[in-house]
Amino acid sequence: MNEGRSQYIGIILISIIVYLLAARFFKSVDAPVDEDVAATEEILSNDSIESNPSNIDTNTIEPATIIIVENGDSVEVDAADYAAKNRLGAFYPLANGSEEEIVLENELLKITLSSKGAQVKTVELKEFKDFNHDPLMIVEETQQINYILSLANGNTVSTEDLYFQAKEDGESVIFTAPAGNGSVQFTYTLPSNSYLVDYQLGLNNLQSVLDTKADDLELTWDYEAGKHEQDMSSEKTKSTAYWKVFENDVEHIGVGKSKEESIEASILWLSFKQRFFNATFLNENTFTDVTVETEIESDDSTKVAGFHGEMAMALDFSDANQSFDMQLFYGPNNYKMLKTYKNDMHHVVELSADFFLFRWVKWINAWLIIPLFNFIEKFIPNYGIIILIMTLIIKMILMPLTFKSYVSTAKQRVLKPELDELKEQFGDDSAGYSRAQMDLYSKTGVSMFGGCLPMLLQMPFLLAMFYFFPSSIELRQESFLWAQDLSTFDTIPLLTWAKSIPLLGNHLSVFTILMTISSILMAKFNPQMQSQPSQPGMEMMKYMPYIFPFFLLFLFNDFPAALTYYYFLSNMITFGQQFVINKFFIDEDKIKSQLEENKKKPVKKSKWASKMEEVYKQQQLQQEQKKK
């Protein structure tokens, strides 16, 4: 009975299976066939696995398959392979292959190109070394340029996923991806003695393959900046992204910051810049719909910065062959060299602060400091001597202002006894003292600001140097005296220790120490400090010139040796000028006689002096009212 029942059950199950197979067979035969794309699919292998996972033998699982209909026949194919074929369309044969590497080389660059994605794989700057004196690799499998092609079947293809056919042609390498009756073609050409790589994309006879309704070709550019300098923190603080707006200025994201920005205007080039080097993507036409992102983390020791750019270029399928002429720049941030390209790339060299009140400093650097530096560089090979000569020349240019400042200081020194008497007379009445001081200066013809104003006019040069030296790649790895590299801080073993000290680090810069000492000596022997009377209630200000240099010690300890060396030289030359002018060119007795003569002359007040006098009178009235 049981046996018979089992037979019946077996017959019934077999009948059901036969019926299902027959139904599927006749259904597949009768179904209309689409000649372009096979229609009917059915998953065979995974259903039983999902219904009873405990029975799975992981060693015998076969790849998922599907059944498709081709020319009226049911065919079992690999599911992943079929999906890739459907997604990539005519580019499917290029989804797999072997990578081929080809080297382009000139006097300045050694570029390794890869057939996988037609990418720049590595770039060596042959004239530079990194901080370990190893070859400087500005790209070391750290860049990816990817174009997103919209296909006629509605899918997209990324060029980074395709294996191209490579061919060398003299100074050029041509990568070709055949598709249908056409092809995608990338051409790299490296001219001799150039940091610019000519880079061309061609879309040839692809109307049947690509979506001809697409208006734009989208692309992405990812780039990672590696460590090339000893001081990684200084590289991070100088890293940013620049771009040239079409028919407008060069702009950038905030320096040393992680930030994302969408650019509404069309741009001519996009540059990913670190302290001394940059990678720039240039277009003969324009990039549109640009988004730029920088990732700069102070505690990330794996890289200096990460950059990401998204862009688009206009498509026009009215022409069977479309060509996009571009360039790639891999090289140094050398202001003089970049300016020869005449595309405003020299603006990636930081010559001033972003703050609008200090942007004018870049014109002093561009019109005076850099031309002077480049001129002296032609004749003097040692950069320490070049900085010394530059300092002397700048001091000579400013000599008339310096002399006028010391003469004015001498006049104030002659008047100091009278000012001291006024101070005793008015006591805590600061408004009354100030008005009497103004009257005395007016009678004698002495300017209150005659001593400090000429010195303030020298500040633009100090600020210009503050940005010039840290940005000058010419100083990179150039030694002078004990400084092994003028582009970074200098130190000696005696002033270096293992554990980092807050605000100071693990070293002391020798030139910074010398700069601090010279600043204190300047304050001690400055006749202007000795002659300037302190205002009532402001007595502590006379100590600031001695305290301030110690703040500079902490501030400048990590700055380039070239900068602190320049400030030290500037202080010492000023100290020498001060001694010579006061010793041989200023006669205080003669100045005193002149001031006495000025007192006898009628005083003609300027509008500014009259206005200041009125202000003092109002202050005095307010104080008297408060006392009442």
Side-chain angles (χ1 to χ4, degrees):
M1 180 69 179
N2 293 335
E3 182 179 350
R5 184 182 299 174
S6 298
Q7 290 177 347
Y8 290 135
I9 294 173
I11 292 171
I12 293 172
L13 290 175
I14 292 172
S15 300
I16 293 173
I17 292 174
V18 171
Y19 172 77
L20 291 175
L21 289 175
R24 185 169 62 185
F25 173 77
F26 288 111
K27 183 178 180 181
S28 65
V29 172
D30 294 338
V33 178
D34 188 331
E35 295 179 355
D36 296 323
V37 181
T40 309
E41 302 179 1
E42 180 179 356
I43 302 296
L44 295 180
S45 60
N46 285 338
D47 291 343
S48 59
I49 294 175
E50 292 178 358
S51 62
N52 191 10
S54 61
N55 295 329
I56 299 174
D57 183 357
T58 56
N59 296 320
T60 59
I61 294 177
E62 295 293 329
T65 59
I66 61 175
I67 292 180
I68 65 172
V69 176
E70 290 184 352
N71 300 323
D73 297 327
S74 297
V75 180
E76 185 177 354
V77 298
D78 180 82
D81 185 69
Y82 177 78
K85 192 172 185 179
N86 185 52
R87 177 172 58 86
L88 298 176
F91 292 100
Y92 169 74
L94 305 175
N96 297 295
S98 58
E99 181 183 16
E100 183 181 355
E101 294 182 357
I102 300 178
V103 175
L104 279 178
E105 190 170 1
N106 65 8
E107 298 84 349
L108 304 175
L109 298 177
K110 182 178 180 181
I111 303 175
T112 302
L113 302 171
S114 170
S115 62
K116 174 66 183 301
Q119 297 286 335
V120 173
K121 192 169 185 177
T122 65
V123 178
E124 177 187 347
L125 301 184
K126 297 169 67 174
E127 290 193 327
F128 298 91
K129 301 292 182 181
D130 68 10
F131 65 99
N132 283 326
H133 300 286
D134 294 326
L136 196 148
M137 308 298 295
I138 192 171
V139 177
E140 196 166 17
E141 299 187 50
T142 51
Q143 174 185 274
Q144 197 80 3
I145 298 176
N146 179 43
Y147 296 82
I148 302 170
L149 304 174
S150 297
L151 302 182
N153 62 9
N155 294 322
T156 60
V157 170
S158 298
T159 57
E160 64 182 357
D161 297 329
L162 304 179
Y163 287 86
F164 286 73
Q165 301 170 3
K167 182 181 74 172
E168 295 185 63
D169 184 12
E171 295 179 341
S172 302
V173 175
I174 302 172
F175 293 101
T176 304
N181 296 322
S183 66
V184 176
Q185 194 171 81
F186 289 99
T187 304
Y188 293 88
T189 303
L190 182 59
S192 62
N193 201 35
S194 175
Y195 288 107
L196 280 169
V197 183
D198 293 328
Y199 175 57
Q200 185 183 72
L201 165 63
L203 302 178
N204 308 315
N205 296 316
L206 293 173
Q207 285 86 342
S208 62
V209 176
L210 301 182
D211 179 9
T212 56
K213 296 180 181 179
D215 296 324
D216 296 316
L217 174 62
E218 297 179 2
L219 65 142
T220 60
W221 181 26
D222 292 286
Y223 177 77
E224 184 177 295
K227 179 181 179 182
H228 304 311
E229 314 303 321
Q230 179 183 355
D231 185 8
M232 192 174 187
S233 62
S234 66
E235 285 194 273
K236 288 178 179 289
T237 57
K238 297 294 183 181
S239 296
T240 186
Y242 283 81
W243 57 87
K244 166 67 175 176
V245 179
F246 180 65
E247 295 183 343
N248 213 323
D249 297 331
V250 173
E251 300 176 0
H252 70 279
I253 288 180
V255 178
K257 299 177 182 178
S258 294
K259 193 174 179 181
E260 181 177 352
E261 185 167 338
S262 296
I263 305 169
E264 296 181 358
S266 299
I267 68 172
L268 293 173
W269 50 258
L270 175 63
S271 180
F272 295 151
K273 175 245 180 186
Q274 55 194 110
R275 185 181 177 191
F276 287 128
F277 305 96
N278 80 83
T280 302
F281 199 166
L282 304 97
N283 193 345
E284 188 176 282
N285 295 307
T286 60
F287 295 116
T288 59
D289 301 327
V290 182
T291 300
V292 181
E293 183 179 357
T294 58
E295 180 188 352
I296 305 172
E297 303 294 340
S298 59
D299 56 350
D300 186 356
S301 60
T302 62
K303 65 178 183 293
V304 171
F307 299 97
H308 174 75
E310 297 178 5
M311 300 168 279
M313 298 186 295
L315 286 171
D316 183 9
F317 283 98
S318 62
D319 189 348
N321 297 317
Q322 298 183 65
S323 179
F324 303 89
D325 294 323
M326 299 166 285
Q327 288 180 309
L328 295 170
F329 173 88
Y330 303 103
N333 300 329
N334 185 301
Y335 186 90
K336 180 182 178 181
M337 180 201 68
L338 293 176
K339 199 169 184 180
T340 62
Y341 293 153
K342 299 180 179 180
N343 55 14
D344 288 339
M345 273 184 61
H346 59 282
H347 287 298
V348 304
V349 181
E350 186 183 18
L351 298 180
S352 70
D354 289 335
F355 189 50
F356 71 97
L357 288 178
F358 296 101
R359 286 178 187 170
W360 51 268
V361 173
K362 68 180 179 182
W363 302 118
I364 297 176
N365 275 319
W367 293 341
L368 177 62
I369 303 301
I370 292 178
L372 177 62
F373 181 85
N374 291 334
F375 176 77
I376 301 173
E377 188 183 23
K378 295 178 182 178
F379 307 100
I380 307 295
N382 186 288
Y383 285 92
I385 304 300
I386 291 174
I387 295 172
L388 172 60
I389 295 173
M390 284 183 64
T391 311
L392 289 170
I393 292 174
I394 292 172
K395 286 295 183 181
M396 290 292 292
I397 294 173
L398 297 173
M399 186 64 180
L401 293 175
T402 305
F403 182 77
K404 186 177 180 180
S405 173
Y406 287 134
V407 171
S408 183
T409 300
K411 291 179 180 179
Q412 293 179 5
R413 190 163 58 247
V414 169
L415 291 177
K416 189 174 186 300
E418 296 183 54
L419 292 170
D420 289 340
E421 291 178 6
L422 291 174
K423 184 179 178 182
E424 291 182 6
Q425 178 183 344
F426 287 94
D428 294 334
D429 185 4
S430 59
Y433 171 78
S434 298
R435 186 162 56 86
Q437 183 185 26
M438 285 288 294
D439 289 339
L440 179 60
Y441 282 151
S442 180
K443 290 177 182 178
T444 56
V446 176
S447 172
M448 282 188 66
F449 305 104
C452 62
L453 187 58
M455 298 301 292
L456 287 175
L457 294 176
Q458 300 183 44
M459 288 300 296
F461 293 92
L462 297 177
L463 289 173
M465 294 301 187
F466 183 82
Y467 286 96
F468 169 71
F469 286 121
S471 299
S472 299
I473 192 172
E474 294 89 346
L475 301 173
R476 183 178 183 270
Q477 297 181 353
E478 293 290 340
S479 62
F480 179 68
L481 298 178
W482 57 83
Q484 299 300 312
D485 186 348
L486 286 171
S487 70
T488 188
F489 58 82
D490 64 299
T491 189
I492 56 177
L494 184 64
L495 298 176
T496 305
W497 49 87
K499 191 174 181 180
S500 179
I501 298 176
L503 301 178
L504 200 60
N506 62 352
H507 70 277
L508 270 174
S509 167
V510 180
F511 278 129
T512 305
I513 294 173
L514 294 176
M515 179 194 72
T516 303
I517 295 172
S518 64
S519 298
I520 295 172
L521 291 175
M522 283 280 295
K524 181 174 178 58
F525 295 102
N526 189 347
Q528 183 177 350
M529 290 299 301
Q530 299 169 10
S531 62
Q532 186 68 31
S534 59
Q535 301 287 341
M538 302 286 288
E539 288 79 5
M540 281 299 297
M541 291 299 296
K542 65 181 180 180
Y543 297 108
M544 286 304 297
Y546 302 100
I547 300 173
F548 188 65
F550 286 101
F551 288 101
L552 295 182
L553 177 65
F554 293 97
L555 178 64
F556 283 87
N557 192 46
D558 287 331
F559 274 62
L563 179 63
T564 51
Y565 169 55
Y566 166 78
Y567 285 156
F568 166 68
L569 288 177
S570 181
N571 285 344
M572 296 309 297
I573 294 172
T574 300
F575 190 79
Q577 287 178 330
Q578 174 181 297
F579 174 79
V580 172
I581 291 173
N582 286 303
K583 183 74 174 176
F584 301 104
F585 293 94
I586 292 180
D587 187 343
E588 292 191 4
D589 292 333
K590 186 176 180 181
I591 291 175
K592 186 175 183 180
S593 299
Q594 181 185 352
L595 297 182
E596 292 298 328
E597 288 294 325
N598 291 342
K599 288 180 182 180
K600 299 175 183 179
K601 299 177 182 179
V603 178
K604 184 179 180 181
K605 295 182 180 180
S606 64
K607 291 182 179 180
W608 183 83
S610 300
K611 188 174 181 179
M612 290 298 296
E613 185 176 356
E614 183 65 29
V615 171
Y616 285 130
K617 286 180 180 179
Q618 291 178 0
Q619 289 178 349
Q620 189 175 19
L621 286 173
Q622 290 176 357
Q623 288 183 355
E624 290 175 356
Q625 289 175 357
K626 287 181 180 178
K627 289 179 181 179
K628 292 179 180 179

